[in-house]
C-alpha cells in the first residue's frame, strides 16, 4: 500500500490490526522507534528530517536530538523543538526562530508531548456497522476504509474542519472538493472570536486580523481581553511586553501603563496597573466614554460607578500621555460594534502601524460555510457523505444546533481524529490521525509565518496525517506526507530543484519558512456602528473555554487537568464563576451546586465565588464534562456547550440553587499574605533596603567550580503556569488525580503562588521551586543523609537512600518538598513510560522528591564540557522552567561566573530572598515586583 | 573428698536475726565459705559471713566508659573519615550533635556491664545445685532462712559443724547431699 | 529463738502480714487463682484488637502511609503524636522504680513492678510508630549504623537518629532493670509452682537463683546502680524526643523550652497511666492491703506537681511567642487559640490544666473512683497535646500559600486504638504470668515494719 514507507513500528502494529495497544506491542513499537531514531531508516531519518543541530536555547545541557516542528492549536502553528532521547520525544522547547515562540512556550505546548503518548489515542481505523448503536464500532483497517470510500455513494460531499491554516492541507482539500460536484467545506472554530472578525468587517469592510506589538506600546488598554493568554499570539505578546518592560526599567524609564477592564480575572488584568471587573455591557459603556475624545460619534453614556469613573479618568490620562504609542485591545466579551469602535479608536490614536498592524486572517476561509449551515444541510438531507477532519462537533458545538442528532443524517459519516471522541462514536468510520510530532505538515503562525512540521518519531500506530488522509480521499498519486508537503512548497516557491533543496533543508531545520509573515494591510478609515443600547439582562451567562483543557480538546491530558487554574488554584474541575456580591445576592457560596438555565437548556454545576470576578455575570466554562475523552478526561467537570447560543458568547441566564454541595480540589487555600512580605513590591525606580548581613555560626562550604543559583523576576512573571508543566514534563512528575490533590498531595516541583494584590483586586504571582538553601534545614534532620549538598551548591535528593521520614518537609520553611504518599507514578499505562525522561529517576511510593535545578541538565552540560574541553558558558544550562517561561522571568546560572545573567540579577536593587530572616541562605532568590504607587 | 561424703550441713531458721546470729557464730568458728540463704536481702548478713564490697560498681563504670568513648569515636569516624558529606553547611565534626548518642551509648554500656557483671560474679545461671535437693529449701524463697556449712570448707569437721549448728537452735538441721 | 516477723502495719502496708502470707498472696495470683470472667472477656477483646492492629499494619505496608490523613504541609500526623504519647507514658515506670528507690520512698515497693511492666509495653508500642510511619518501612534499619557495601552511615545530626539510640537504650535498660529485680520472685514462683512445666519455665527464667547472701549483696548493688543509671536516662529520653521538634525550625516546634516541658509531660501522663492501671488492678485482685489509699494519694500528688510543670510549659510557650516579637510564632499561637484546631487545644487545657486542680483536695486524692476518672482525662489531654504540637504547628507555618489542614482518616484511628488494645492485652497477660508486685521487696517491707 502507498502509505508512508512501512516502518517497523507501523508494521508491528499492522500485524495486529485489532486496536488496543498491548504491552508487548507497545514495547516492540518503542524498540522499533528507538531503532529508527538511532539507525538511518524511514521517518524520522537523518536523510529526510533535519534535526536542529546547534540549539542556542538549551546549549550544552540539551537533549541529544531536537526536531524543529510545529504544535498546532486552533489551526495556528506554535513553533517548537521536540527533544528526543533514544528516539522518543520526551520534552518540548520553544523554537527561537519561530515568531509565535521566540524560544518560549505556553502550558499547552509543554503538555503536547503527553498528548502524543496518551494511551487513549486512537490506534486503528474503526467502522460502525449500519444500524449499530453509537460507539459500537469494531476495529478495521485503512485498506477496508479505502474500499468503502471508493464504493461510497457519489455527490453531496461535505467536509467539516476546524480552523485550517495549513497550505498543504488546504490545497489538498481544494483538490478533493474540486473533484466532487456540489461538494461543500464547512469550518467550525469553537474557540474563535466571531465578534472580533465581524467588527473588522464593520470597521474596514473586510476581514483583517490585528497583530499587537506590545513592545512598542507605552499604554495598553485591554477591554474584556487577555492578550497574555488568549489567541495564537499570546506567548509572543507576553514576551514582547516583558522585554520592553525590562528594557525600560534598566533605562530608568517608566514602564508601559497596563489597564484592564475584564469580566473574569485574566493574566493581563493581574499584571495591569489598574484593573476593574465589569460585566460586558458596562465595559462597553466605559469604552464609549473612554473613546469619546477620539470617536465622539459613538456617543457617551453617563458615568455611574465612581470606581469605574476613576478607572476611566486614569485610562484617559494614560491614553493622552502615550498618544500614538497606545494600543486598545478588545476581547471576545465585547460586541462586534464595540470591536469596530475599538478599531477606530486605535486608528485615530495613531496606533495602527506602530503598536498594531493588520493582516489578512491566516485562517480566512471565505468560501467555507459554517457549522450551522452544515446542520441545515443535514436536515435538508442534501448531505450524502460527511467528512469530519480533526474536529469534534458532537461535543464542541452550541446545544441549540443539536449537532449530535443531526450528524447521523449523513449517509456516510467519516471522522478522523486523535481520539475516538464523541463525534467518532456517531461516525460510520473513524480514522486515526497522526500526532503533530509524528507527521510531515505545515501551518501558519498568528502573523501568517509559514511553519513546517517534521516527525520526531515514526507514527506509533497505523495513523495518517491529515494531508495524507486528504491525498487518499482525493486519490492523489502522491500519498507520502513528506512528498505532499514538499510538492506544495515546490509549487508555492517555484524554485528550481537545486535551489529548492537548499530552501527545503533550511526551512525544515529551522521549522519556519523565512520571511513568510503576512505583510500589513493598508486599511481605510474605520467606520463605527451604533452600539446596542438595549439594557443587559439582570444576569448574564458568559462562555469561556476552560483555561486548562482549551474547550475540552485537552481534557484527556492529566498534566493540564491537574494544573492549578491561575486564580482559583482549583484542579480537575470546571466551576461556574461569579462575583462576591452576586453570590451574596443569590445566597450562594463556593461549592454550592446550582441549576443554570439559558434559553430553556439547563445545567447542574458547582459555583466558585471569585472575588475578582465581575458582578451580575456568570462565567460558564466550555470543555468540562467530556463523555468520550479517555480514561483521564471523561466526566471531569461540567459541559456548558449545550447552553451556549449559536451566534453569541453572551446570553441571559437564570440561576436556581440546589441543596447539593461539591468539594473542589485546590492547591492553595488562602490568598492573603497575612502581613508577611513574601511578594515584595516597590515603586518604579526605587530600591529595596539592603538585606542585613547575617552571621553564620560556621564557615560556609565553598562551591569552587560552579555555584548554581536561580533568580525569579516577580515583575515580569505573569503566572501563566508554563514553568509548572515544563518541569512536570522534564522531571517525570506524576499526576496524582483529583482526590489526592484534594488531600493536599499534588506533586508539582515548582508551584505558582498567587497572593491578593492592591485594593483594585490585582494579583501577585510567585513561582516557588526549591530554594536550594546553602544552610538547608532539610538536610540537617534527615537521619539517613538522603538529602545533602553537592560541591556545586545543589541541595540534592538521593531517592534510593530516602526512607520517607518526611522530617525534611516539616523542616522546609518553603514547603517545596513533595512526598509519594502512595504509588503515584503510573505503572499501568505503558505508553506513559515512553514519555519519561530516562535521565530522571521515576520515584516510587514512600520517597521524598523536589526541584533539583534540573540536575540532569547540569550533568549533561558538565559531561559535554569534559568531552569537548570547552568550558561551560552562561546559558549552557537552562532549567526546564526557565526554558519555557514566556517572559524570561526565570534566570539560572553560575554565581562563580561574574558575567552571568544570574549574577547581574542578584545585583539588582530589587533583589531579595524569600523569608530571608530565617537565614537559610537560599540560592533561589527573587526580584521585587514594580508597582506604580497608588 | 570422696564421692559419698555430703556437700554440706544445713540449718533452717524462722527469722533473719537467727540466721545472722548463726552466720556470725560460724565465722567465729573459723568457717570461711559458709553460705546463708534468705528470701530477701538481710541487713548485715554478708558482713557476718565476711563478705565485703561487691565489684559490680567497677564493672559498671568500665562498661559506661567503653560505651561512651566507643560511641563518640564511631560517630566521628563515620561522619568525618568514612562518609564525609556537606549537610546543612555544618562542619563534618559537629561535636555538639554527637553528644546525645554518646550519652545513650554510655548508659547502655554501663547497664549491660552491671547486668552481665552481677550474673557472672554470682556464677549464674546455674540451674542445678545440690542445695536445691535439701529438705525444705524451697522455703528459702518464701519465709525461711538457711545456713549451710560446706564440707569442702577447710574448717569443716562433721561432728564439730553439727554441734555448732545445733548451738544456734535451728528449726531443723539436715545434710545436703552432693 | 525468735518468732517469724509479722508486719505491725504502716500506711503502705496493712498490719498482720508475714513473709509467708505476702508470698502466697502475690504468687497465688499467678499460680493458683483461676482467671475470672472479666479477665477472660478482656483478654479476648484485646486479643482481637491486637490481631486487627497487625492486619492494619499489613495493609499499611502494602498501600503506603497515604492511608492516613497526612499531606503537605502536615507530613506528620497521629503516628508521631501517638509515638510521643506512648513514650511519655513509658516514663513513669522507670521513674518510680529508679528515682523513688534512690529517694528511699517506701510507697514505691508495691507499685514498681507493674509500673515497670507498663513502661516496657508502652515503650514497645511507641517504638513501633517510627517504623510504621516511614514511607519505606522495610528500610528502617538504614538508621542503624552498620558497615555496608555503599559505605553510607546514619546522619548523626538528625534527632531521629538520636531517637533510635534513646528509645532502644531505654527499652533495653528498662527490661534489664525489670528482669534483674524480678529474678528472686521468679525463683519464688519456681519453688511455689506445682505443675512441672511451670517449675521448669520459672526455673529457667530464674537462672538458678538461690538467695545466697553474697548474691543478694551484689544484686542489691547492681540494682541500685541500674537505678542510678536509669534516672538520667529517663530524663534524657524524652528530652531527645522533644528535640525531634525543637531542632526543627517550624513555629510551635522550635523552642528551647521543650526538653524539660516534655519530661514533665511524660511523668504527668505516666503517672496518669499508673493510676489508670493500679486502681482496677487493686480492685480485681483485692490488693487493698498492699496498694493503699496512701499510694494513690502519693501518685496523685506527683500528678498534681507534674501537671503544674506542664501548665507552666504552656504559659511560657505562649509568653515567648509574644515576647520574642516573632510574627510567625505569634500567628501560630493565635491560630492555636482560634484556628481550626482550637477545640482540640482548649479540650487539652481543660484536661491537663483545669481538672488536675481538683487534686488540691485530699478527698479527691483518696477517692479511687475520682482518681481513675481524672487519670483517664489526663491521658486524653496529653494525647491531645501531642496532636496539637505535631499537627497544628505544621498546618500553618511560613508561607500561607502552602497552608493546609490535616483531618484523620479511619486508618488514623485504627492505628491509635490498635496500639491501646495491644498494650492492654500485653498487660493482661503479664498479670497472669508474672508477679505484679515485687514479692521479695514486700518481704523486706514486712521485716522493716515488724
Amino acid at each position: 500500500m502507498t502509505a508512508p514507507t512501512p516502518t517497523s513500528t507501523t508494521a508491528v502494529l499492522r500485524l495486529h490490526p485489532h486496536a488496543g495497544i498491548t504491552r508487548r506491542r507497545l514495547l516492540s513499537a518503542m524498540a522499533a522507534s528507538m531503532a529508527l531514531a538511532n539507525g538511518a531508516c524511514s521517518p524520522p531519518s537523518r536523510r529526510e528530517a533535519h534535526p536542529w543541530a546547534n540549539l542556542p536555547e538549551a546549549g550544552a545541557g540539551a537533549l541529544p536530538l531536537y526536531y524543529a516542528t510545529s504544535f498546532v492549536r486552533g489551526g495556528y502553528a506554535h513553533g517548537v523543538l521536540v527533544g528526543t532521547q533514544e528516539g522518543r520525544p520526551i520534552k518540548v522547547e520553544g523554537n527561537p526562530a519561530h515568531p509565535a515562540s521566540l524560544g518560549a512556550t505556553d502550558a499547552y505546548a509543554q503538555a503536547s508531548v503527553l498528548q502524543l503518548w496518551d494511551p487513549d489515542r486512537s490506534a486503528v481505523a474503526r467502522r460502525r456497522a449500519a444500524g449499530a448503536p453509537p460507539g459500537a464500532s469494531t476495529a478495521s483497517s485503512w485498506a477496508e476504509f479505502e474500499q468503502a470510500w471508493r464504493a461510497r455513494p457519489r455527490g453531496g460531499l461535505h467536509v467539516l474542519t476546524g480552523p485550517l491554516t495549513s497550505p498543504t492541507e488546504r490545497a489538498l482539500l481544494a483538490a478533493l472538493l474540486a473533484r466532487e460536484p456540489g461538494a461543500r467545506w464547512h469550518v467550525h472554530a469553537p474557540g474563535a472570536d466571531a465578534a472580533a472578525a465581524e467588527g473588522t468587517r464593520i470597521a474596514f469592510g473586510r476581514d483583517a486580523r490585528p497583530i499587537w506589538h506590545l513592545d512598542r506600546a507605552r499604554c495598553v488598554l485591554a477591554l474584556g481581553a487577555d492578550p497574555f493568554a488568549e489567541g495564537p499570539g499570546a506567548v509572543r505578546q507576553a514576551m514582547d511586553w516583558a522585554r520592553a518592560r525590562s528594557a525600560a526599567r534598566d533605562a530608568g524609564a517608566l514602564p508601559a501603563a497596563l489597564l484592564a477592564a475584564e469580566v473574569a480575572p485574566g493574566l493581563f488584568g493581574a499584571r495591569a496597573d489598574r484593573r476593574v471587573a465589569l460585566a460586558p455591557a458596562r465595559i462597553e459603556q466605559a469604552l464609549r466614554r473612554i473613546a469619546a475624545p477620539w470617536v465622539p460619534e459613538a456617543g457617551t453614556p453617563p458615568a455611574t460607578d465612581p470606581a469605574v469613573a476613576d478607572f476611566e479618568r486614569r485610562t484617559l490620562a494614560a491614553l493622552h500621555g502615550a498618544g500614538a504609542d497606545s494600543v486598545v485591545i478588545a476581547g471576545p466579551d465585547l460586541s462586534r460594534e464595540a470591536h469596530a469602535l475599538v478599531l477606530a479608536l486605535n486608528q485615530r490614536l495613531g496606533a495602527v502601524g506602530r503598536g498594531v498592524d493588520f493582516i489578512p486572517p491566516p485562517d480566512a476561509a471565505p468560501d467555507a460555510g459554517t457549522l450551522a449551515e452544515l446542520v441545515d444541510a443535514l436536515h435538508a438531507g442534501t448531505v450524502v457523505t460527511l467528512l469530519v477532519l480533526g474536529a469534534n462537533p458532537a461535543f464542541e458545538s452550541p446545544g441549540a444546533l443539536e449537532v449530535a442528532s443531526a450528524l447521523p443524517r449523513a449517509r456516510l459519516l467519516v471522522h478522523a481524529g486523535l481520539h475516538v471522541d464523541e463525534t467518532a462514536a456517531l461516525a460510520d468510520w473513524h480514522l486515526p490521525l497522526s500526532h503533530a510530532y509524528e507527521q510531515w505538515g505545515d501551518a501558519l503562525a498568528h502573523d501568517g509565518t509559514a511553519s513546517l512540521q517534521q516527525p520526531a518519531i515514526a507514527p506509533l500506530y497505523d495513523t495518517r496525517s491529515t494531508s495524507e488522509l486528504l491525498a487518499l480521499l482525493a486519490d492523489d498519486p502522491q500519498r507520502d506526507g513528506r512528498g505532499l508537503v514538499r510538492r506544495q512548497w515546490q509549487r508555492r516557491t517555484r524554485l528550481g530543484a537545486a535551489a529548492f533543496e537548499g530552501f527545503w533543508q533550511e526551512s525544515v531545520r529551522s521549522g519556519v519558512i523565512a520571511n513568510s509573515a503576512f505583510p500589513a494591510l493598508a486599511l481605510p478609515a474605520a467606520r463605527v456602528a451604533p452600539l446596542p443600547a438595549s439594557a443587559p439582562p439582570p444576569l448574564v451567562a458568559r462562555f469561556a473555554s476552560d483555561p486548562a483543557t482549551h474547550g475540552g480538546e485537552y481534557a484527556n491530558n492529566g498534566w493540564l487537568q491537574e494544573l492549578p487554574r491561575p486564580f482559583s488554584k482549583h484542579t480537575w474541575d470546571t466551576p461556574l464563576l461569579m462575583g462576591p456580591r452576586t453570590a451574596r445576592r443569590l445566597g450562594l457560596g463556593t461549592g454550592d451546586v446550582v441549576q443554570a438555565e439559558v434559553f430553556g437548556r439547563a445545567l447542574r454545576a458547582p459555583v466558585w465565588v471569585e472575588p475578582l470576578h465581575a458582578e451580575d455575570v456568570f462565567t460558564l466554562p466550555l470543555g468540562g464534562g467530556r463523555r468520550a475523552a479517555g480514561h483521564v478526561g471523561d466526566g471531569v467537570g461540567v459541559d456548558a456547550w449545550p447552553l451556549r447560543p449559536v451566534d453569541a458568547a453572551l446570553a441571559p441566564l437564570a440561576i436556581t440553587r440546589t441543596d447539593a454541595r461539591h468539594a473542589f480540589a485546590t492547591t492553595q487555600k488562602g490568598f492573603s499574605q497575612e502581613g508577611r512580605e513574601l511578594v515584595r513590591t516597590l515603586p518604579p525606580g526605587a530600591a529595596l533596603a539592603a538585606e542585613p548581613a547575617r552571621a553564620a555560626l560556621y564557615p560556609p562550604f565553598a562551591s569552587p567550580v560552579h555555584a548554581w543559583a536561580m533568580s525569579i523576576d516577580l515583575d515580569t512573571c505573569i503566572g501563566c503556569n508554563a514553568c509548572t508543566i515544563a518541569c512536570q514534563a522534564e522531571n517525570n512528575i506524576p499526576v496524582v488525580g483529583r482526590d489526592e490533590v484534594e488531600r493536599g498531595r499534588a506533586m508539582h516541583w515548582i508551584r505558582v503562588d498567587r497572593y491578593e494584590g492592591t485594593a483594585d483586586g490585582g494579583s501577585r504571582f510567585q513561582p516557588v521551586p526549591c530554594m536550594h538553601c546553602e544552610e538547608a534545614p532539610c538536610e540537617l534532620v534527615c537521619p539517613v543523609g538522603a538529602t545533602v549538598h553537592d560541591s556545586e551548591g545543589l541541595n540534592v535528593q538521593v531517592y534510593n537512600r530516602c526512607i520517607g521520614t518526611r522530617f525534611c518537609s516539616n523542616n522546609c520553611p518553603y514547603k517545596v518538598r513533595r512526598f509519594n504518599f502512595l504509588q503515584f507514578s503510573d505503572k499501568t499505562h505503558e505508553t506513559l513510560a515512553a514519555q519519561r525522561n530516562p535521565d530522571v529517576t521515576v520515584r516510587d511510593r514512600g520517597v521524598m522528591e523536589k526541584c533539583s535545578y534540573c540536575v540532569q541538565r547540569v550533568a549533561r552540560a558538565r559531561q559535554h564540557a569534559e568531552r569537548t574541553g570547552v568550558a561551560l558558558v552562561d546559558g549552557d544550562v537552562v532549567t526546564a522552567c526557565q526554558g519555557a517561561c514566556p517572559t524570561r522571568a526565570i534566570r539560572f546560572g553560575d554565581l562563580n561566573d561574574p558575567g552571568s545573567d544570574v549574577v547581574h540579577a542578584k545585583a539588582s536593587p530589587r533583589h531579595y530572598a524569600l523569608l530571608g530572616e530565617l537565614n537559610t541562605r537560599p540560592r533561589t532568590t527573587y526580584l521585587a515586583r514594580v508597582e506604580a504607587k497608588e | 573428698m570422696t564421692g559419698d561424703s555430703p556437700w554440706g550441713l544445713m540449718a533452717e531458721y524462722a527469722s533473719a536475726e537467727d540466721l545472722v546470729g548463726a552466720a556470725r557464730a560460724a565465722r567465729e568458728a573459723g568457717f570461711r565459705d559458709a553460705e546463708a540463704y534468705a528470701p530477701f536481702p538481710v541487713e548485715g548478713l554478708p558482713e557476718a559471713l565476711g563478705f565485703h564490697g561487691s565489684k559490680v560498681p567497677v564493672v559498671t563504670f568500665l562498661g559506661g566508659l567503653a560505651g561512651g568513648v566507643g560511641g563518640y569515636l564511631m560517630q566521628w569516624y563515620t561522619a568525618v573519615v568514612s562518609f564525609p558529606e556537606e549537610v546543612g553547611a555544618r562542619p563534618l565534626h559537629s561535636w555538639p550533635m554527637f553528644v546525645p548518642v554518646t550519652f545513650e551509648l554510655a548508659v547502655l554500656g554501663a547497664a549491660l556491664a552491671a547486668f552481665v557483671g552481677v550474673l557472672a560474679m554470682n556464677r549464674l545461671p546455674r540451674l542445678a545445685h545440690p542445695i536445691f535437693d535439701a529438705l525444705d529449701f524451697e522455703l528459702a524463697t518464701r519465709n525461711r532462712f538457711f545456713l549451710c556449712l560446706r564440707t569442702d570448707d577447710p574448717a569443716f569437721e562433721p561432728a564439730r559443724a553439727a554441734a555448732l549448728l545445733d548451738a544456734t537452735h535451728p528449726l531443723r538441721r539436715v545434710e545436703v547431699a552432693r | 529463738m525468735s518468732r517469724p516477723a509479722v508486719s505491725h502495719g504502716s500506711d503502705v502496708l496493712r498490719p498482720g502480714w508475714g513473709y509467708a502470707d505476702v508470698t502466697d498472696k502475690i504468687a497465688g495470683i499467678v499460680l493458683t487463682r483461676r482467671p475470672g470472667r472479666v479477665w477472660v472477656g478482656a483478654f479476648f477483646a484485646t486479643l482481637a484488637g491486637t490481631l486487627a492492629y497487625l492486619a492494619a499494619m499489613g495493609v499499611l505496608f502494602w498501600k503506603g502511609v497515604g492511608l492516613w490523613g497526612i499531606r503537605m504541609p502536615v507530613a506528620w500526623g497521629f503516628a508521631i503524636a501517638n509515638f510521643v504519647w506512648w513514650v511519655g507514658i513509658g516514663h513513669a515506670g522507670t521513674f518510680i522504680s529508679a528515682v523513688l528507690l534512690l529517694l528511699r520512698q517506701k510507697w514505691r515497693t508495691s507499685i514498681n513492678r507493674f509500673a515497670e511492666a507498663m513502661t516496657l509495653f508502652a515503650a514497645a508500642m511507641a517504638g513501633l510508630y517510627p517504623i510504621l510511619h516511614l514511607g519505606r518501612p522495610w528500610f528502617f534499619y538504614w538508621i542503624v549504623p552498620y558497615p555496608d557495601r555503599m559505605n553510607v552511615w546514619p546522619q548523626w545530626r538528625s534527632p531521629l537518629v538520636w531517637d533510635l539510640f534513646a528509645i532502644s537504650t531505654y527499652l533495653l535498660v528498662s527490661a534489664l532493670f525489670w528482669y534483674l529485680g524480678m529474678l528472686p520472685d521468679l525463683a519464688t514462683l519456681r519453688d511455689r509452682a506445682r505443675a512441672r512445666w511451670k517449675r521448669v519455665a520459672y526455673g529457667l527464667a530464674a537462672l538458678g537463683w538461690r538467695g545466697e547472701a553474697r548474691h543478694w549483696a551484689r544484686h542489691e548493688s547492681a540494682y541500685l546502680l541500674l537505678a542510678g543509671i536509669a534516672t538520667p536516662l529517663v530524663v534524657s529520653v524524652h528530652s531527645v524526643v522533644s528535640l525531634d521538634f525543637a531542632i526543627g525550625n517550624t513555629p510551635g516546634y522550635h523552642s528551647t523550652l521543650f526538653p524539660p516541658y516534655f519530661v514533665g509531660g511524660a511523668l504527668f501522663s505516666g503517672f496518669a497511666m499508673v493510676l489508670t492501671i493500679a486502681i482496677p488492678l487493686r480492685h480485681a485482685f483485692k490488693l487493698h492491703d498492699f496498694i493503699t489509699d496512701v499510694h494513690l494519694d502519693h501518685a496523685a500528688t506527683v500528678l498534681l506537681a507534674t501537671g503544674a510543670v506542664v501548665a507552666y510549659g504552656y504559659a511560657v510557650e505562649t509568653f515567648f511567642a509574644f515576647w520574642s516579637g516573632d510574627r510567625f510564632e505569634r500567628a501560630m499561637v493565635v491560630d492555636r487559640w482560634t484556628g481550626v484546631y482550637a477545640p482540640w487545644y482548649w479540650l487539652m487545657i481543660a484536661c491537663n490544666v483545669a481538672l488536675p486542680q481538683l487534686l488540691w483536695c485530699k478527698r479527691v486524692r483518696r477517692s479511687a473512683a475520682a482518681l481513675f476518672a481524672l487519670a483517664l482525662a489526663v491521658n486524653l489531654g496529653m494525647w491531645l497535646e501531642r496532636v496539637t504540637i505535631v499537627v497544628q504547628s505544621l498546618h500553618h507555618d511560613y508561607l500561607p500559600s502552602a497552608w493546609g489542614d490535616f483531618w484523620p482518616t479511619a486508618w488514623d484511628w485504627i492505628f491509635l486504638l490498635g496500639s491501646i488494645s495491644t498494650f492492654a492485652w500485653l498487660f493482661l497477660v503479664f498479670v497472669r504470668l508474672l508477679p505484679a508486685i515485687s514479692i521479695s521487696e514486700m518481704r523486706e517491707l514486712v521485716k522493716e515494719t515488724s
Side-chain angles (χ1 to χ4, degrees), chain A residues 262-280:
Chain A
E262 54 186 3
V263 180
L267 300 183
F268 182 88
R271 196 61 197 82
D273 306 296
R274 300 285 300 173
R275 168 194 185 273
V276 284
L278 293 175

Side-chain angles (χ1 to χ4, degrees), chain A residues 698 701 774 776 779-780 788-789, chain B residues 85-91 97:
Chain A
Y698 304 110
F701 278 70
E774 287 174 0
E779 295 174 0
L780 193 67
V788 292
H789 249 64
Chain B
E85 266 185 318
E86 182 189 343
V87 169
R90 299 300 197 284
M97 309 292 241

